[in-house]
Amino acid sequence: MKIKLFPIRGGVHPEDRKGLSAGMAIEAIPLAPLLHIPLQQHIGAPAEPLVSRGDRVKKGQLLARAQGAISAPVHAPTSGLVMGIGGYPAHHPSGLKVRTISLKPDGKEEWIEGLDPVPDPFALAPEEIARRVAEAGIVGMGGATFPSAVKLDLRKRYSLHSLVINGAECEPYLTCDDRLMREQPEQVIEGARLMARGLGLESVLIAIENNKPEAQAALRAAAAPYPAVKVIGLPTRYPMGSEKHLVQTLTGKETPARGLTADIGVVVHNVATALAMHEALRQGRPLIDRVMTVTGGAIATPRNLRVPLGTPVSFLIELCGGFKQEPARLISGGPMMGQPLPNTQVPVVKGSNGLLALTAAETQQAPEMPCIRCASCVGACPCGLTPLEIAARIRAGALDASVNRGLLDCIGCGSCAYVCPSHIPLVQYFNHAKGELAARQRARHKQLETKRLAEARSERMEALQRAKQEAMARQKQERAAKAAGGGEA
Amino acid sequence: MKEPTLIAAPYSHAKTSVSRTMGLVMLALLPATLFGLYQFGWPAIFLFTVTLISAVAAEAFSLRLAGKPVGLFLKDGSALLSGWLLAMTLPPWAPWWIGVIGAFLAIVVGKQIFGGLGQNLFNPAMVARVALLISFPLELTLFTAPSPLFSASAPGFLEGLAVTFGGSNAIDAVASATPLGHFKTELGRGLTLGQASEGTGSLWQLAWGQIPGSLGETSALLILLGGLFLIHKKVIGWHIPLAMLAGLALPAALFHGLYPGQYVGPLTHLVSGAAMLGAFFIATDLVTSPVSRSGQLLFGAGCGLLVYVIRTWAGYPEGVAFAVMLMNACTPLIDHYLRPRIYGRDRRGEPLNTDGKRENT
């Protein structure tokens, strides 16, 4: 399908290194001896556990239910024994402990009874689709982990015209979406059409970068019976998969600052999310595993694996033959926007799309030099920012000035830092400033709240005091009146 | 695995570095430089060498004084490049101390006093060039006709040493005016352009560079070649060079068209003096030029226009150094006002309209 595409600003062409794992078919893996399932694998409130230590659970059983408007439930990836609920290092650079259910698989893989497959999910009402997606615990699997059902509800507040399925996979190294599209194109298409149904939409655009011709061909063939589903080839350029830029490429329209793509009538979902929705609706299967790429120059045999959630990262590394050399960095996600992992004990979560063990030759680290104002970062920024100017202001502690220069419009794609000849860690500056601003805002909020409460208290105290005085005055009057009356009597 | 510093992504990097950038610029300068060294012989080679060594020495001295890692910063190549660019703009038979003082002015006054690499407001080579021109007007305006190495008219090694390091007045014998200087004098005393042109070379000679002039500025064609290489390698953009050349050529074409007898034509302007070197190597200096494309266009056009104004109506026959420095001073202002439009915002920085939103339904 040829449609007119629109140019986006900036971007870079990193060496994609997808060849390491692109040829490896997705493989199921054996169960790890112990699974660690965090209660928060999504944006929003953590799930509330429904099991306790010593419980036997079946595969697919609800372990913890969603809490609040933005949350997602968590299910058992396999059957086994709940060993405990407690703190375990998070899949996060801090390595801080988060509430986690530890599950010892019994190896029987017994499914829970009462899964609710739907023979014709297209007959379901949009509300019912959203309800089932919420119950299956599906979140954005491109890494954002925003609860998908909440995103399906956007139709209530916005007038939408298109669903975009993001198969750009513009991060170097990662091949999980590529493999998934090649191997399960029909399921992806059906998931996408179900999403469209849930959103009350017809038009589905599946966007795939041109460096994945096999995936494009597979999805085109699978989409052939459905004229409303179009597969579109995208120019290969990072960050093509940034949803705002993807939508701009497809529609020519920019998402307003601080807004959502829904503001211009488009909802974007990842291909892996589409597959999860297909499984949830057609088979009644909750989200209990995901496809991820284990790769990098330090990994002996890079592979694409279908991993039960909660599997420790160290187990995956062993499955891929271990390290063939000491990695310089261990990354969750892609090299451009991924996060460093504190250790190999952390578990795989719903948002894990890649595990990278990079060698020093791959990371190309070099000592930081002063900025030579070469403006490479200005040319590379897809958001029209001047990263060098923003970083200079942050370095000087002028955070408000950096906001005026567009700090909060930064999507953190890292294109600027990637091209910087002085190797200045620009994203580190930006993240530091964003965090500091958030902390200041929290502090200000707290201060205002404290002030408000203190004022309310003193008002209350005064009112109390007044009431006491009035009561005493009244009593005095009454006594006086009584005394006077008595005198008369 | 040893514990690496916790730092935000990306964990991959383009194969770029400051020294690579500087190295590419020097590579691009090489053809015009070699031509200049060949054409002006041993004295030019000595002056070039002295200037570069002095620049690196001045950089090392300043770094040591500032307590910065000397080795790391010398390796970036920026001092070598500043020295190189300065040498390109000097009269090829100037005495050695011009190179030494110039290199000191460029590195210490022009760059390190501002805080070193990336901090200077003005192009270091131009700071030195202007300071030298004002302080030593005689030495800086004494040009020689080309006398290629090993040709009969060229000074030998020892004679060359004598020219650069003193003891020879050979330069008086071969002193010659640059084309721009020639036009300035002749037009100034009321001759027409046609009469004045008889004393200078053909347009081809001007473009190829067989004319009296600064050490590395004469060959417009070789400089253009190097400049195009830099654009191809994406070290510089096309915006500043094109805008600067247009800013020079358009007014030249206008006045030449209106008064053909009194104003030098646009092509002559483009291929003479420091126009090409200025457009591709001086004005494009990364540190001292604006960062946005619109800013670069304005900056380049301003440089070109000022060069024309100075060459045509001011006291000096050439004005690239003054023009670039004046525009350098405007760079922070240009960067403040001319910025790229931010994604999702209009030119004033307000968020774009949200028309698709349905409120409270």
Side-chain angles (χ1 to χ4, degrees):
Chain A
M1 185 69 206
K2 272 271 170 219
I3 73 156
K4 183 179 160 16
L5 295 180
F6 298 85
I8 60 169
R9 199 186 178 287
V12 294
H13 292 98
E15 198 189 340
D16 80 0
R17 308 275 290 159
K18 290 181 188 279
L20 286 174
S21 58
M24 310 294 284
I26 299 169
E27 297 164 82
I29 65 164
L31 286 166
L34 202 56
L35 301 180
H36 300 281
I37 305 135
L39 295 176
Q40 179 153 35
Q41 305 185 35
H42 49 262
I43 288 177
E48 182 64 28
L50 298 174
V51 293
S52 46
R53 184 177 168 168
D55 286 359
R56 292 220 160 258
V57 296
K58 297 278 177 68
K59 185 171 183 175
Q61 184 177 331
L62 185 64
L63 294 180
R65 64 182 162 81
Q67 265 204 126
I70 299 179
S71 184
V74 173
H75 301 80
T78 183
S79 57
L81 185 65
V82 174
M83 302 299 285
I85 304 175
Y88 191 79
H91 192 96
H92 182 270
S94 69
L96 287 176
K97 288 183 175 170
V98 292
R99 263 188 116 192
T100 301
I101 297 178
S102 294
L103 178 67
K104 188 180 167 67
D106 57 15
K108 293 182 199 152
E109 292 268 45
E110 272 178 304
W111 273 95
I112 187 164
E113 278 162 36
L115 282 186
D116 189 12
V118 185
D120 181 14
F122 289 96
L124 296 174
E127 289 77 15
E128 180 62 12
I129 291 181
R131 190 188 66 76
R132 283 171 180 260
V133 166
E135 275 186 1
I138 296 175
V139 301
M141 291 171 75
T145 67
F146 190 80
S148 299
V150 181
K151 235 168 144 180
L152 289 181
D153 281 342
L154 285 173
R155 77 195 156 86
K156 295 178 184 160
R157 282 183 294 133
Y158 297 88
S159 67
L160 305 172
H161 59 76
S162 298
L163 165 68
V164 170
I165 300 296
N166 188 350
E169 202 167 49
C170 60
E171 274 273 9
Y173 290 89
L174 301 187
T175 54
C176 49
D177 290 353
D178 180 18
R179 287 310 310 188
L180 200 143
M181 291 187 283
R182 285 199 227 179
E183 296 177 30
Q184 296 182 280
E186 288 85 9
Q187 288 88 332
V188 170
I189 297 279
E190 180 169 303
R193 290 176 57 236
L194 285 168
M195 281 176 176
R197 166 105 188 123
L199 286 162
L201 287 175
E202 278 290 307
S203 162
V204 180
L205 303 175
I206 302 184
I208 307 169
E209 276 193 355
N210 288 334
N211 60 357
K212 293 179 269 294
E214 294 93 342
Q216 288 178 348
L219 282 185
R220 277 202 181 110
Y226 313 107
V229 181
K230 298 186 183 93
V231 177
I232 293 157
L234 299 170
T236 304
R237 176 153 51 140
Y238 181 86
M240 194 50 84
S242 146
E243 68 173 13
K244 291 180 179 183
H245 293 90
L246 180 59
V247 169
Q248 189 189 10
T249 304
L250 296 172
T251 66
K253 282 200 210 156
E254 286 184 23
T255 306
R258 327 207 106 208
L260 303 174
T261 56
D263 283 320
I264 50 173
V266 183
V267 173
V268 183
H269 278 286
N270 177 265
V271 279
T273 317
L275 181 72
M277 286 205 193
H278 157 84
E279 289 175 345
L281 292 162
R282 182 69 81 172
Q283 301 158 13
R285 191 178 196 270
L287 181 61
I288 53 170
D289 57 16
R290 68 155 299 143
V291 178
M292 66 187 287
T293 305
V294 183
T295 183
I299 292 281
T301 328
R303 292 165 84 179
N304 295 299
L305 304 172
R306 194 163 176 121
V307 184
L309 299 177
T311 305
V313 158
S314 56
F315 190 72
L316 300 181
I317 295 169
E318 268 170 48
L319 281 177
C320 294
F323 296 132
K324 65 181 173 195
Q325 72 179 85
E326 191 85 335
R329 290 266 178 205
L330 196 63
I331 311 291
S332 166
M336 297 298 287
M337 287 187 78
Q339 298 206 309
L341 286 177
N343 57 55
T344 58
Q345 304 311 309
V346 298
V348 168
V349 292
K350 291 176 181 177
S352 321
N353 49 4
L355 172 66
L356 268 54
L358 301 177
T359 64
E362 289 174 301
T363 57
Q364 293 267 332
Q365 268 187 296
E368 181 182 345
M369 295 286 287
C371 172
I372 55 168
R373 293 177 36 86
C374 69
S376 300
C377 55
V378 181
C381 179
C383 296
L385 304 175
T386 42
L388 77 164
E389 305 266 356
I390 297 176
R393 279 158 183 74
I394 295 170
R395 200 199 302 248
L399 295 193
D400 293 331
S402 74
V403 172
N404 290 337
R405 285 273 169 151
L407 172 70
L408 301 179
D409 294 287
C410 165
I411 57 168
C413 71
S415 298
C416 52
Y418 176 81
V419 295
C420 178
S422 294
H423 288 258
I424 299 170
L426 292 157
V427 180
Q428 174 74 26
Y429 279 106
F430 303 156
N431 287 352
H432 159 73
K434 287 173 187 170
E436 182 63 32
L437 283 169
R440 282 186 195 177
Q441 199 165 14
R442 276 197 301 276
R444 193 157 50 230
H445 179 76
K446 190 174 170 189
Q447 199 179 9
L448 286 175
E449 272 306 278
T450 313
K451 192 170 165 217
R452 190 181 65 75
L453 289 174
E455 277 170 2
R457 182 175 187 274
S458 61
E459 216 165 275
R460 219 164 45 237
M461 288 309 188
E462 272 169 32
L464 215 62
Q465 195 70 32
R466 252 196 325 273
K468 250 185 200 164
Q469 282 169 354
E470 278 167 19
M472 271 162 72
R474 223 176 14 248
Q475 274 178 358
K476 218 176 194 176
Q477 255 177 4
E478 276 169 20
R479 265 204 301 274
K482 230 182 220 171
E488 270 170 39
Chain B
M1 194 171 85
K2 73 172 190 316
E3 199 60 35
T5 14
L6 203 60
I7 197 161
Y11 304 104
S12 172
H13 202 281
K15 291 188 173 61
T16 55
S17 66
V18 176
S19 46
R20 180 180 174 274
T21 302
M22 301 293 168
L24 283 173
V25 179
M26 288 187 255
L27 192 63
L29 281 171
L30 204 57
T33 309
L34 290 177
F35 177 82
L37 296 180
Y38 165 73
Q39 164 156 287
F40 297 111
W42 286 112
I45 295 174
F46 297 139
L47 179 68
F48 183 77
T49 314
V50 164
T51 310
L52 263 61
I53 292 174
S54 309
V56 174
E59 175 94 344
F61 169 74
S62 310
L63 288 172
R64 177 159 296 230
L65 217 58
K68 290 184 184 169
V70 178
L72 180 71
F73 280 95
L74 277 189
K75 261 196 293 182
D76 69 32
S78 60
L80 201 62
L81 179 59
S82 292
W84 191 320
L85 281 170
L86 171 65
M88 300 274 283
T89 68
L90 295 177
W93 285 24
W96 64 274
W97 50 267
I98 287 284
V100 174
I101 294 176
F104 178 83
L105 288 169
I107 300 299
V108 179
V109 179
K111 176 176 158 192
Q112 291 292 347
I113 280 180
F114 285 87
L117 181 64
Q119 299 295 315
N120 47 300
L121 182 59
F122 298 101
N123 185 317
M126 292 303 104
V127 169
R129 157 105 196 138
V130 165
L132 287 173
L133 182 63
I134 292 169
S135 316
F136 311 104
L138 183 67
E139 285 80 0
L140 261 280
T141 50
L142 210 51
F143 292 94
T144 44
S147 50
L149 268 181
F150 313 120
S151 67
S153 62
F157 184 80
L158 291 176
E159 286 169 276
L161 277 180
V163 169
T164 306
F165 296 97
S168 164
N169 49 7
I171 187 157
D172 296 335
V174 287
S176 179
T178 63
L180 285 175
H182 177 78
F183 281 125
K184 183 111 213 163
T185 325
E186 300 297 295
L187 292 175
R189 60 188 186 106
L191 293 186
T192 66
L193 187 62
Q195 292 165 322
S197 297
E198 283 164 21
T200 66
S202 66
L203 198 62
W204 170 249
Q205 277 175 316
L206 289 181
W208 180 238
Q210 290 161 316
I211 44 168
S214 296
L215 194 155
E217 287 177 355
T218 58
S219 181
L221 285 180
L222 289 177
I223 292 167
L224 179 68
L225 185 78
L228 293 178
F229 168 75
L230 282 190
I231 292 175
H232 170 71
K233 283 282 177 191
K234 298 201 170 129
V235 174
I236 60 171
W238 53 266
H239 308 79
I240 292 177
L242 192 75
M244 177 163 170
L245 295 177
L248 171 62
L250 291 180
L254 178 72
F255 282 96
H256 182 67
L258 289 175
Y259 312 101
Q262 292 152 42
Y263 290 94
V264 179
L267 277 177
T268 312
H269 266 294
L270 290 183
V271 298
S272 320
M276 279 291 165
L277 189 77
F280 286 98
F281 291 93
I282 305 288
T284 54
D285 171 36
L286 301 171
V287 175
T288 56
S289 60
V291 295
S292 72
R293 283 167 207 172
S294 49
Q296 290 174 350
L297 285 174
L298 178 66
F299 176 87
C303 287
L305 203 65
L306 283 171
V307 170
Y308 185 75
V309 169
I310 295 169
R311 281 183 180 182
T312 311
W313 294 294
Y316 289 98
E318 175 57 295
V320 169
F322 293 108
V324 170
M325 283 186 68
L326 283 169
M327 291 310 292
N328 283 164
C330 301
T331 294
L333 207 60
I334 295 175
D335 271 343
H336 182 79
Y337 285 107
L338 292 183
R339 284 182 245 160
R341 185 181 61 80
I342 296 176
Y343 179 99
R345 293 182 184 272
D346 62 18
R347 283 255 159 234
R348 284 169 304 148
E350 299 300 320
L352 298 175
N353 285 333
T354 62
D355 42 77
K357 199 165 182 174
R358 229 190 278 157
E359 291 293 344
N360 308 319
T361 46

